[in-house]
Amino acid sequence: DIQMTQSPSSLSASVGDRVTITCGASQSISSHLNWYQKKPGKAPKLMIYGASSLQSGVPSRFSGSGSGTDFTLTISSLQPEDFATYYCQQSYSTPLSFGGGTKVEIK
Amino acid sequence: EVQLLESGGGLVQPGGSLRLSCAASGFTFSIYGMSWARQAPGKGLEWVSGISGSVGNTYYADSVKGRFTISRDNSKNTLYLQMNSLRAEDTAVYYCAKTKQWLATAPLDYWGQGTLVTVSS
């Protein structure tokens, strides 16, 4: 089974900051890496799929990069509505697996 | 507009059973893969099970294999999760989600609001 590791587990940032979250896979997953945003009491929301493709309706300040085992989610200018927990997920093989999450909090 | 509405959650004793349903609308249900995922209180997201479109191949997390069964009724646009031999660690909000294509392993582009399952005596 493929293990996904995210860092950091939490971070504090201010509105307008550039934020970077990293995700690592225990084996190569090519570009089969997706990023989700989760807010308390709300459904998860797909932000980035295929490592770098922006899901329809997601603001362009979100971007993803990487391939193989190392991936990055970047928010270029953090907005108030971006404070949430972000999860990476591999869709390379079953069982599908999520990273542990990165909570983005207000500084 | 894609809509996914889960139902069937509730309180069940350890060792008991429960069947979750997910009513889908706004897309051609039969051709898309579907998944169940869960989030235990204070924990992260965990994928539980998936089923492909059309052929209906099924896949499970190791933690639920042999206890849970995923199925779909394309005539009713409904996804199911039969959960047997429930344990305290199965307590979570369960989400159904649609994939971006027929594969069960494709990215999950739409999610329901979730249904709470509590396993406790």
Side-chain angles (χ1 to χ4, degrees):
Chain A
D1 298 0
I2 299 173
Q3 312 302 318
M4 306 300 295
T5 305
Q6 279 182 245
S7 64
S9 57
S10 66
L11 65 90
S12 295
S14 301
V15 173
D17 284 352
R18 181 182 182 88
V19 168
T20 299
I21 299 168
T22 63
C23 176
S26 60
Q27 65 184 74
S28 177
I29 57 171
S30 185
S31 295
H32 297 276
L33 190 283
N34 313 302
W35 291 96
Y36 299 86
Q37 179 191 69
K38 178 71 170 69
K39 295 181 179 180
K42 300 291 188 181
K45 178 182 179 181
L46 178 65
M47 307 300 281
I48 300 286
Y49 64 95
S52 60
S53 296
L54 196 66
Q55 173 67 2
S56 176
V58 173
S60 59
R61 62 181 179 272
F62 289 89
S63 64
S65 65
S67 66
T69 60
D70 298 310
F71 302 88
T72 300
L73 173 70
T74 299
I75 309 173
S76 60
S77 177
L78 198 64
Q79 297 302 299
E81 59 268 30
D82 300 337
F83 292 95
T85 301
Y86 293 85
Y87 294 90
C88 63
Q89 178 232 357
Q90 65 84 13
S91 52
Y92 180 77
S93 67
T94 58
L96 306 184
S97 46
F98 290 89
T102 296
K103 187 174 184 179
V104 177
E105 299 175 299
I106 301 172
K107 180 183 284 185
Chain B
E1 179 192 5
V2 172
Q3 291 193 342
L4 299 169
L5 184 61
E6 302 95 337
S7 61
L11 175 63
V12 61
Q13 292 187 337
S17 297
L18 214 54
R19 188 177 83 156
L20 305 183
S21 300
C22 173
S25 61
F27 63 103
T28 307
F29 178 75
S30 62
I31 65 174
Y32 286 93
M34 299 291 295
S35 271
W36 289 98
R38 67 186 180 184
Q39 186 173 35
K43 302 295 185 181
L45 293 171
E46 179 187 15
W47 178 81
V48 173
S49 181
I51 185 167
S52 64
S54 302
V55 180
N57 294 324
T58 59
Y59 307 89
Y60 298 93
D62 292 343
S63 59
V64 306
K65 197 174 297 182
R67 301 188 298 123
F68 290 11
T69 302
I70 190 172
S71 62
R72 63 191 302 160
D73 186 334
N74 292 334
S75 68
K76 295 182 178 179
N77 289 349
T78 301
L79 177 72
Y80 301 101
L81 185 67
Q82 177 67 44
M83 304 186 296
N84 298 331
S85 303
L86 283 161
R87 307 166 179 167
E89 54 265 35
D90 295 319
T91 294
V93 175
Y94 284 73
Y95 297 96
C96 79
K98 166 190 168 293
T99 73
K100 287 183 72 70
Q101 51 178 277
W102 71 272
L103 289 169
T105 55
L108 304 169
D109 59 352
Y110 289 93
W111 296 63
Q113 289 301 310
T115 187
L116 176 63
V117 171
T118 303
V119 184
S120 175
S121 55

